[in-house]
Amino acid sequence: MSDRSANDSLEARVQSADKLLAMPQVVFEVARLLEDDDATAARIASSLGRDPGLVALVLRIANSPAYAPARPVDSVDRAIALLGRDALQRLVVASAITRATASIPDQERLPLEVFWRHSAYCAVIARQLAMRVSPRQASGIFLAGLLHDLGKLLLFSQSPESAHRAFLSSLDVGDGLSPQGAERAQLGFDHAELGGALAAHWGLPELLVDCLAGHHHPLQAPECNRTAVMLVHLANTGAHLAEIDSRDWADAPPVDPAVWDALHLAPEVLLAAVEEAQHEVLAVQDLCDPAHDGEPRP
């Protein structure tokens, strides 16, 4: 497939995603306000109030045992003060996207439950690693981990057979293709490129765009966000290990060897994060299941 036709196809996929993943405009407005230091809590609350579903989620999280408020939080203003802007931005964007994906018809190639379980593991591990390397970016990196494979979900929803053929092709040792390479051979682009293009189309922060687009080739990411992309790259590998309760590197996508040195991390640190994530991952299920009532699951 030529570069021109691949780009046209990628653009067409992004445009059609607006129908598949209908995102309310208020989400982008609130996300931008939360990044604006001059935006007041009252202005944020007013904008957030236009989406009753988001208001309900924010109040439910603010009143959850994780925050243990001294008295019930019954206003968005108080919830903003309790949660903080970073956590609130994470909640707003993640909940909106997970609510949007709930409308996607389930299909056997990549069930939503499987997709969000992997995403939750990646988010938790990415945050743990970020607290060691770049704590000020931990909230954004958590969100990047949660959404890193959004392009894969879109790809399997739009073209399940082509996506599955690419996956099977990557298993053929004779071809020597990575899953991303197999996607590019089949479609002219891979799921990471698609995810990054979708995030850019939605106007999400550059950190998210770069992490979604570059998590399989982190050293090629823009320098300003390269550390975040490398952390999501590691977290993706760790998430695969966590899902199958393995500590064998052969069971997960390979880590670019240069990433360990660039981040000054040892492989043992990632394995420890995997271990901890297996105990923590339930804490992010509210983000991945808007219908969840916040009580512990059996």
Side-chain angles (χ1 to χ4, degrees):
M1 181 178 289
S2 70
D3 288 344
R4 174 64 183 273
S5 60
N7 288 335
D8 287 347
S9 180
L10 179 63
E11 178 64 23
R13 301 294 179 118
V14 169
Q15 294 295 333
S16 68
D18 283 336
K19 298 178 182 177
L20 190 64
L21 298 170
M23 292 283 286
Q25 189 61 35
V26 65
V27 171
F28 304 123
E29 181 180 322
V30 172
R32 283 192 290 269
L33 287 175
L34 289 168
E35 286 194 317
D36 182 358
D37 292 337
D38 294 328
T40 64
R43 186 179 173 196
I44 295 169
S46 175
S47 181
L48 189 62
R50 292 167 45 207
D51 188 323
L54 284 177
V55 170
L57 176 74
V58 168
L59 292 178
R60 177 156 53 83
I61 297 295
N63 284 289
S64 70
Y67 289 92
R71 57 190 176 89
V73 178
D74 55 7
S75 72
V76 175
D77 297 70
R78 284 199 61 218
I80 293 172
L82 179 66
L83 297 174
R85 292 194 179 198
D86 284 349
L88 186 58
Q89 183 187 58
R90 190 173 74 205
L91 285 169
V92 165
V93 175
S95 66
I97 291 176
T98 53
R99 283 194 298 163
T101 61
S103 64
I104 295 177
D106 205 6
Q107 40 81 30
E108 63 181 14
R109 302 299 192 191
L110 184 62
L112 282 175
E113 180 182 358
V114 173
F115 172 81
W116 285 120
R117 184 185 306 120
H118 171 74
S119 301
Y121 272 123
C122 188
V124 172
I125 294 170
R127 182 181 59 202
Q128 291 174 2
L129 297 177
M131 291 305 295
R132 285 175 168 268
V133 176
S134 183
R136 295 189 63 178
Q137 290 185 303
S139 182
I141 291 171
F142 172 93
L143 185 55
L146 189 68
L147 303 179
H148 76 288
D149 266 349
L150 192 60
K152 180 178 289 187
L153 179 62
L154 183 58
L155 193 58
F156 271 85
S157 300
Q158 292 177 328
S159 304
E161 297 306 320
S162 295
H164 189 58
R165 281 198 302 272
F167 170 72
L168 294 177
S169 176
S170 72
L171 300 180
D172 187 342
V173 177
D175 285 348
L177 289 174
S178 67
Q180 302 79 246
E183 289 170 353
R184 287 192 292 273
Q186 285 278 337
L187 302 160
F189 56 88
D190 62 37
H191 70 271
E193 292 176 82
L194 181 57
L198 181 59
H201 172 69
W202 280 344
L204 295 180
E206 285 188 10
L207 183 144
L208 292 180
V209 174
D210 291 342
C211 285
L212 268 63
H215 65 275
H216 288 298
H217 43 83
L219 297 180
Q220 298 176 31
E223 186 175 355
C224 60
N225 289 321
R226 192 172 299 156
T227 294
V229 179
M230 289 190 292
L231 290 171
V232 174
H233 173 72
L234 289 182
N236 177 60
T237 292
H240 281 276
L241 295 176
E243 286 176 273
I244 60 174
D245 195 23
S246 171
R247 302 299 180 267
D248 185 342
W249 297 108
D251 290 336
V255 171
D256 188 321
V259 168
W260 300 116
D261 291 335
L263 293 174
H264 305 291
L265 290 176
E268 291 75 20
V269 172
L270 177 57
L271 293 180
V274 168
E275 190 78 26
E276 190 172 343
Q278 289 182 309
H279 300 289
E280 287 188 16
V281 74
L282 290 180
V284 302
Q285 285 194 328
D286 268 323
L287 294 181
C288 301
D289 182 2
H292 182 211
D293 60 10
E295 294 299 319
R297 295 173 186 237

